Amino acid sequence: MIGGLPGDARGLGYWAVMPTTADAVPALEGVASRVDGVILGFLQERRAEAVAIEPLATEPIDAIERLVRAGGKRIRPAFCLWGYRAAGGAEGPSIWQAAAALELLHTMALIHDDVMDDDAVRRGEPTVHDRHATAAIARGQVRPDLVGTGIAIVAGDLAAAFADQLFWGAAFAADLHATAGERFHLLRLNLALGAYLDLAEADVAPGTIAYLKGGAYTVEGPLLVGAALAGATPAVEEVLLRYARPLGAAFQLLDDLADGDAAPGSTRAQAIGMVGSARAALDEPLEPEAVVALDQLAELVGSL
C-alpha cells in the first residue's frame, strides 16, 4: 500500500491531508469552516432521523462526525469551489453544499483506507475500526477485529451515501446538476479503480495508478465538478484540464517521493516542473480571481 504523509496523513497519498503550510494559503481561507458547517449541520439532521428510528444506532454517524471534527485542510472542496468560480459561478450556499459532498466522500475514503492499512490513528484520534475493536473487546465479543472492521465499513458506506444525498440536494439548474453528476460519478469510479489497482499491485501502463490516485480524485475531478455546476464552456474546461493533469501528477509524485515509493529515477525537480506547467496553464477564459486562487493551490502542492 502506498503511504501518505507523516502523522495523520497515513494511507494512500490521494487520501492524505495537506501540510500545515496550507493554513497560510488565501485560496483556502474560510473553506474548512464553511464546508464543516454544512457537513456538521447535515449530520445533525441525519442523527436526529437515526434517533427516531433507534437511539442505539447513531454510532456510524457519530464516527463520521468525529473524523470531520478532527481536522484536515479541505483541499478537494477548495478545488471544487475554485473550479466553479473559474467558470463564472457566484459563491453561495449551493456550491458550498456540493463542495461539502466531496469532503464527505473523502471521509468515506479515509475510513476505508484505515481499514486497508490497519492504521490505529487518524488525525490524532483512534481510527473507526480500531476504536470499535477495542470496544468489542470490552464487551467480550468474539472476533473483535471483525467487529471493528465491519463497523468501519458501515460508517464509510454511510458517509458515501450521505455525500450523494448532499450533492443531489444542492440547488442547481437540472441540466448543470446532471452534467456535474456525471463528473461526480466518474470521480468516485476513479477513486475505487485506483484503490483496487494499487492494492492488487496490478501491472498497468506507467502513470495509470498515479493519475487515478492523484489527478483524477484530488485535483481534476473536484475542479471539473465545480466547473460543470457553473456551466463551464469547453474552453474553460480545456484550461482547467491543462492545469489539473500536471498538478495531480505532481501531487502524487511528491507524495510517493516522501514515502519512498517513487519509481527509480524520479526526483523532486520533476514534480516541481509539473507544478510549473500547471501554473503556466492558468489564463483566459478563467475568471481572474480564480486564476490567482488556483495558482496559490498549485504553489501549495509544490511545497509538499
PDB file of all heavy atoms in Angstrom, residues 125-142:
ATOM      1  N   GLU A 125      -6.664  10.837  16.395  1.00  0.00           N
ATOM      2  CA  GLU A 125      -7.751  10.107  17.055  1.00  0.00           C
ATOM      3  C   GLU A 125      -7.714   8.639  16.647  1.00  0.00           C
ATOM      4  O   GLU A 125      -7.194   8.293  15.582  1.00  0.00           O
ATOM      5  CB  GLU A 125      -9.105  10.702  16.648  1.00  0.00           C
ATOM      6  CG  GLU A 125      -9.304  12.168  17.038  1.00  0.00           C
ATOM      7  CD  GLU A 125      -9.501  12.336  18.535  1.00  0.00           C
ATOM      8  OE1 GLU A 125      -9.898  11.355  19.196  1.00  0.00           O
ATOM      9  OE2 GLU A 125      -9.257  13.445  19.031  1.00  0.00           O
ATOM     10  N   PRO A 126      -8.264   7.746  17.494  1.00  0.00           N
ATOM     11  CA  PRO A 126      -8.338   6.330  17.082  1.00  0.00           C
ATOM     12  C   PRO A 126      -9.141   6.192  15.791  1.00  0.00           C
ATOM     13  O   PRO A 126     -10.149   6.882  15.605  1.00  0.00           O
ATOM     14  CB  PRO A 126      -9.061   5.653  18.255  1.00  0.00           C
ATOM     15  CG  PRO A 126      -8.872   6.569  19.417  1.00  0.00           C
ATOM     16  CD  PRO A 126      -8.829   7.958  18.844  1.00  0.00           C
ATOM     17  N   THR A 127      -8.693   5.340  14.899  1.00  0.00           N
ATOM     18  CA  THR A 127      -9.458   5.096  13.680  1.00  0.00           C
ATOM     19  C   THR A 127     -10.756   4.389  14.036  1.00  0.00           C
ATOM     20  O   THR A 127     -10.898   3.812  15.119  1.00  0.00           O
ATOM     21  CB  THR A 127      -8.646   4.242  12.700  1.00  0.00           C
ATOM     22  OG1 THR A 127      -8.213   3.047  13.362  1.00  0.00           O
ATOM     23  CG2 THR A 127      -7.427   4.998  12.191  1.00  0.00           C
ATOM     24  N   VAL A 128     -11.701   4.438  13.126  1.00  0.00           N
ATOM     25  CA  VAL A 128     -13.022   3.871  13.407  1.00  0.00           C
ATOM     26  C   VAL A 128     -12.916   2.389  13.729  1.00  0.00           C
ATOM     27  O   VAL A 128     -13.488   1.912  14.719  1.00  0.00           O
ATOM     28  CB  VAL A 128     -13.977   4.104  12.221  1.00  0.00           C
ATOM     29  CG1 VAL A 128     -15.329   3.449  12.491  1.00  0.00           C
ATOM     30  CG2 VAL A 128     -14.161   5.591  11.956  1.00  0.00           C
ATOM     31  N   HIS A 129     -12.185   1.627  12.914  1.00  0.00           N
ATOM     32  CA  HIS A 129     -12.122   0.189  13.159  1.00  0.00           C
ATOM     33  C   HIS A 129     -11.374  -0.123  14.445  1.00  0.00           C
ATOM     34  O   HIS A 129     -11.740  -1.060  15.175  1.00  0.00           O
ATOM     35  CB  HIS A 129     -11.497  -0.540  11.963  1.00  0.00           C
ATOM     36  CG  HIS A 129     -10.037  -0.321  11.802  1.00  0.00           C
ATOM     37  ND1 HIS A 129      -9.523   0.807  11.193  1.00  0.00           N
ATOM     38  CD2 HIS A 129      -8.971  -1.072  12.164  1.00  0.00           C
ATOM     39  CE1 HIS A 129      -8.206   0.725  11.170  1.00  0.00           C
ATOM     40  NE2 HIS A 129      -7.841  -0.388  11.769  1.00  0.00           N
ATOM     41  N   ASP A 130     -10.342   0.663  14.768  1.00  0.00           N
ATOM     42  CA  ASP A 130      -9.590   0.398  15.995  1.00  0.00           C
ATOM     43  C   ASP A 130     -10.425   0.728  17.225  1.00  0.00           C
ATOM     44  O   ASP A 130     -10.440  -0.026  18.210  1.00  0.00           O
ATOM     45  CB  ASP A 130      -8.302   1.223  15.991  1.00  0.00           C
ATOM     46  CG  ASP A 130      -7.380   0.858  17.138  1.00  0.00           C
ATOM     47  OD1 ASP A 130      -6.742  -0.204  17.068  1.00  0.00           O
ATOM     48  OD2 ASP A 130      -7.318   1.624  18.128  1.00  0.00           O
ATOM     49  N   ARG A 131     -11.138   1.848  17.188  1.00  0.00           N
ATOM     50  CA  ARG A 131     -11.984   2.232  18.308  1.00  0.00           C
ATOM     51  C   ARG A 131     -13.019   1.148  18.619  1.00  0.00           C
ATOM     52  O   ARG A 131     -13.253   0.784  19.780  1.00  0.00           O
ATOM     53  CB  ARG A 131     -12.699   3.551  17.984  1.00  0.00           C
ATOM     54  CG  ARG A 131     -13.667   4.016  19.069  1.00  0.00           C
ATOM     55  CD  ARG A 131     -14.491   5.215  18.579  1.00  0.00           C
ATOM     56  NE  ARG A 131     -13.669   6.380  18.347  1.00  0.00           N
ATOM     57  CZ  ARG A 131     -13.383   7.300  19.275  1.00  0.00           C
ATOM     58  NH1 ARG A 131     -13.873   7.157  20.501  1.00  0.00           N
ATOM     59  NH2 ARG A 131     -12.649   8.336  18.970  1.00  0.00           N
ATOM     60  N   HIS A 132     -13.622   0.621  17.565  1.00  0.00           N
ATOM     61  CA  HIS A 132     -14.699  -0.341  17.796  1.00  0.00           C
ATOM     62  C   HIS A 132     -14.190  -1.757  18.044  1.00  0.00           C
ATOM     63  O   HIS A 132     -14.896  -2.557  18.671  1.00  0.00           O
ATOM     64  CB  HIS A 132     -15.693  -0.269  16.641  1.00  0.00           C
ATOM     65  CG  HIS A 132     -16.515   0.975  16.695  1.00  0.00           C
ATOM     66  ND1 HIS A 132     -17.536   1.148  17.596  1.00  0.00           N
ATOM     67  CD2 HIS A 132     -16.425   2.148  16.009  1.00  0.00           C
ATOM     68  CE1 HIS A 132     -18.058   2.346  17.447  1.00  0.00           C
ATOM     69  NE2 HIS A 132     -17.394   2.971  16.498  1.00  0.00           N
ATOM     70  N   ALA A 133     -12.996  -2.062  17.604  1.00  0.00           N
ATOM     71  CA  ALA A 133     -12.392  -3.335  18.001  1.00  0.00           C
ATOM     72  C   ALA A 133     -12.099  -3.323  19.501  1.00  0.00           C
ATOM     73  O   ALA A 133     -12.342  -4.312  20.216  1.00  0.00           O
ATOM     74  CB  ALA A 133     -11.106  -3.579  17.217  1.00  0.00           C
ATOM     75  N   THR A 134     -11.611  -2.175  19.983  1.00  0.00           N
ATOM     76  CA  THR A 134     -11.352  -2.036  21.418  1.00  0.00           C
ATOM     77  C   THR A 134     -12.643  -2.141  22.218  1.00  0.00           C
ATOM     78  O   THR A 134     -12.697  -2.808  23.265  1.00  0.00           O
ATOM     79  CB  THR A 134     -10.672  -0.679  21.694  1.00  0.00           C
ATOM     80  OG1 THR A 134      -9.434  -0.620  20.982  1.00  0.00           O
ATOM     81  CG2 THR A 134     -10.400  -0.505  23.179  1.00  0.00           C
ATOM     82  N   ALA A 135     -13.700  -1.492  21.726  1.00  0.00           N
ATOM     83  CA  ALA A 135     -14.986  -1.569  22.415  1.00  0.00           C
ATOM     84  C   ALA A 135     -15.537  -2.994  22.402  1.00  0.00           C
ATOM     85  O   ALA A 135     -16.141  -3.452  23.385  1.00  0.00           O
ATOM     86  CB  ALA A 135     -15.987  -0.617  21.752  1.00  0.00           C
ATOM     87  N   ALA A 136     -15.310  -3.722  21.308  1.00  0.00           N
ATOM     88  CA  ALA A 136     -15.792  -5.108  21.217  1.00  0.00           C
ATOM     89  C   ALA A 136     -15.056  -6.003  22.201  1.00  0.00           C
ATOM     90  O   ALA A 136     -15.643  -6.935  22.772  1.00  0.00           O
ATOM     91  CB  ALA A 136     -15.611  -5.618  19.792  1.00  0.00           C
ATOM     92  N   ILE A 137     -13.781  -5.733  22.408  1.00  0.00           N
ATOM     93  CA  ILE A 137     -13.023  -6.493  23.410  1.00  0.00           C
ATOM     94  C   ILE A 137     -13.626  -6.277  24.788  1.00  0.00           C
ATOM     95  O   ILE A 137     -13.826  -7.223  25.566  1.00  0.00           O
ATOM     96  CB  ILE A 137     -11.538  -6.063  23.392  1.00  0.00           C
ATOM     97  CG1 ILE A 137     -10.871  -6.520  22.090  1.00  0.00           C
ATOM     98  CG2 ILE A 137     -10.793  -6.650  24.598  1.00  0.00           C
ATOM     99  CD1 ILE A 137      -9.462  -5.978  21.909  1.00  0.00           C
ATOM    100  N   ALA A 138     -13.941  -5.016  25.102  1.00  0.00           N
ATOM    101  CA  ALA A 138     -14.524  -4.697  26.409  1.00  0.00           C
ATOM    102  C   ALA A 138     -15.870  -5.383  26.602  1.00  0.00           C
ATOM    103  O   ALA A 138     -16.238  -5.739  27.730  1.00  0.00           O
ATOM    104  CB  ALA A 138     -14.674  -3.184  26.553  1.00  0.00           C
ATOM    105  N   ARG A 139     -16.599  -5.589  25.502  1.00  0.00           N
ATOM    106  CA  ARG A 139     -17.899  -6.262  25.595  1.00  0.00           C
ATOM    107  C   ARG A 139     -17.775  -7.776  25.575  1.00  0.00           C
ATOM    108  O   ARG A 139     -18.775  -8.482  25.739  1.00  0.00           O
ATOM    109  CB  ARG A 139     -18.798  -5.820  24.441  1.00  0.00           C
ATOM    110  CG  ARG A 139     -19.245  -4.377  24.481  1.00  0.00           C
ATOM    111  CD  ARG A 139     -20.359  -4.107  23.481  1.00  0.00           C
ATOM    112  NE  ARG A 139     -19.907  -4.305  22.111  1.00  0.00           N
ATOM    113  CZ  ARG A 139     -19.420  -3.335  21.322  1.00  0.00           C
ATOM    114  NH1 ARG A 139     -19.321  -2.097  21.800  1.00  0.00           N
ATOM    115  NH2 ARG A 139     -19.046  -3.590  20.090  1.00  0.00           N
ATOM    116  N   GLY A 140     -16.569  -8.269  25.344  1.00  0.00           N
ATOM    117  CA  GLY A 140     -16.355  -9.709  25.301  1.00  0.00           C
ATOM    118  C   GLY A 140     -16.834 -10.361  24.021  1.00  0.00           C
ATOM    119  O   GLY A 140     -17.099 -11.566  23.995  1.00  0.00           O
ATOM    120  N   GLN A 141     -16.927  -9.586  22.935  1.00  0.00           N
ATOM    121  CA  GLN A 141     -17.388 -10.153  21.680  1.00  0.00           C
ATOM    122  C   GLN A 141     -16.316 -11.035  21.036  1.00  0.00           C
ATOM    123  O   GLN A 141     -15.114 -10.782  21.161  1.00  0.00           O
ATOM    124  CB  GLN A 141     -17.786  -9.041  20.706  1.00  0.00           C
ATOM    125  CG  GLN A 141     -19.070  -8.328  21.076  1.00  0.00           C
ATOM    126  CD  GLN A 141     -19.488  -7.339  20.016  1.00  0.00           C
ATOM    127  OE1 GLN A 141     -19.114  -6.173  20.099  1.00  0.00           O
ATOM    128  NE2 GLN A 141     -20.260  -7.787  19.033  1.00  0.00           N
ATOM    129  N   VAL A 142     -16.786 -12.051  20.330  1.00  0.00           N
ATOM    130  CA  VAL A 142     -15.896 -12.914  19.575  1.00  0.00           C
ATOM    131  C   VAL A 142     -15.404 -12.155  18.336  1.00  0.00           C
ATOM    132  O   VAL A 142     -16.159 -11.429  17.708  1.00  0.00           O
ATOM    133  CB  VAL A 142     -16.621 -14.217  19.167  1.00  0.00           C
ATOM    134  CG1 VAL A 142     -15.698 -15.105  18.328  1.00  0.00           C
ATOM    135  CG2 VAL A 142     -17.099 -14.958  20.411  1.00  0.00           C
TER     136      VAL A 142
END
